[in-house]
Amino acid sequence: MKPSVHDTYGSLGLLVELFVDLWSIMTSPVRILGIDPGLRRTGWGLITAQGTKLTYGACGIVTSDGDLPLALRLRELFEGIGRVVATQQPDEVAVEETFVNKDAQATLKLGHARAMALVVPALAGLPVFEYAANLIKKTVAGSGHAEKVQIQAMVRFLLPKAEFRVADAADALAIAITHASHRDSHALRKAHLPAGKRANLTGQAAAGQGLEGKGFSAATAARIEAALAKQN
């Protein structure tokens, strides 16, 4: 077996390996799907990031019928987001974290919608990242308290070809832009995982093989297993 750079040059070699890995991650084109969860309207936006270059792909919304029971509305979101993932074929997905407000019922409903936004790409085996609303605003507009109009203006500036008619789609593109700006930090964090942590992730992926027949179908068990394996 050919020795690694780390084996040959020690700590310096490890730094070189890390730099090469990061360079590969940040210079290879990646399709990022941003999702802005909402029970009535869930926005989505796709961009391609290659280094510091951002290219607009597509955007839109997934809606649910307000006259239907909650369970059926969530099914509509689940199926709609699934169609977006299948059609747009993203490499990574970014979702906005739940914003807790004074209306507990509204927050709970938003949490249900956000669960759909998280689980659909996860079942497809895609890495999913979460970002707080203030971080998204600060990344895109330079202020954690920026107004929606400012966010939309900056999205248009960063993605001149972007076409969106509703704020939800613009917010989703802002989420995707935020992930593009923070991908390097995620790569560093993964590279610095302790050996024990990496082994634990491997064990989790192996454990996924036992999911079939325990409340999961064979197809679902396989998707969960693949998703866990990708984290290693």
Side-chain angles (χ1 to χ4, degrees), residues 1-145:
M1 181 182 295
K2 183 179 178 180
S4 66
V5 177
H6 181 214
D7 294 332
T8 305
Y9 298 104
S11 298
L12 178 60
L14 181 61
L15 288 175
V16 172
E17 285 182 344
L18 178 60
F19 175 79
V20 171
D21 289 342
L22 287 175
W23 178 259
S24 176
I25 290 172
M26 299 312 297
T27 56
S28 300
V30 58
R31 293 168 65 84
I32 301 172
L33 177 67
I35 301 179
D36 179 37
L39 184 58
R40 181 180 300 176
R41 292 187 304 270
T42 287
W44 62 270
L46 184 87
I47 67 172
T48 298
Q50 185 170 13
T52 58
K53 181 182 178 182
L54 303 178
T55 305
Y56 170 72
C59 69
I61 58 173
V62 175
T63 61
S64 70
D65 187 344
D67 294 329
L68 293 177
L70 177 61
L72 296 181
R73 296 184 71 181
L74 293 177
R75 186 181 73 176
E76 286 186 329
L77 292 181
F78 183 93
E79 293 173 347
I81 297 171
R83 287 191 294 271
V84 171
V85 170
T87 302
Q88 301 301 328
Q89 294 290 304
D91 300 307
E92 299 174 3
V93 178
V95 180
E96 183 177 1
E97 291 182 351
T98 301
F99 177 77
V100 180
N101 55 38
K102 295 180 180 180
D103 188 342
Q105 189 70 16
T107 301
L108 184 60
K109 289 181 178 179
L110 177 58
H112 290 318
R114 204 173 82 88
M116 299 302 100
L118 293 170
V119 74
V120 171
L123 288 176
L126 298 171
V128 183
F129 302 85
E130 301 175 62
Y131 295 94
N134 285 350
L135 178 59
I136 295 168
K137 293 177 180 178
K138 186 173 183 180
T139 302
V140 176
S143 170
H145 301 286

Side-chain angles (χ1 to χ4, degrees), residues 52 54-56 139-141 149-164 170 173 177:
T52 58
L54 303 178
T55 305
Y56 170 72
T139 302
V140 176
V149 175
Q150 294 174 282
I151 298 296
Q152 293 174 22
M154 285 306 301
V155 168
R156 285 195 173 93
F157 175 77
L158 295 170
L159 303 170
K161 295 183 179 181
E163 298 178 358
F164 50 85
L173 288 170
I177 292 170

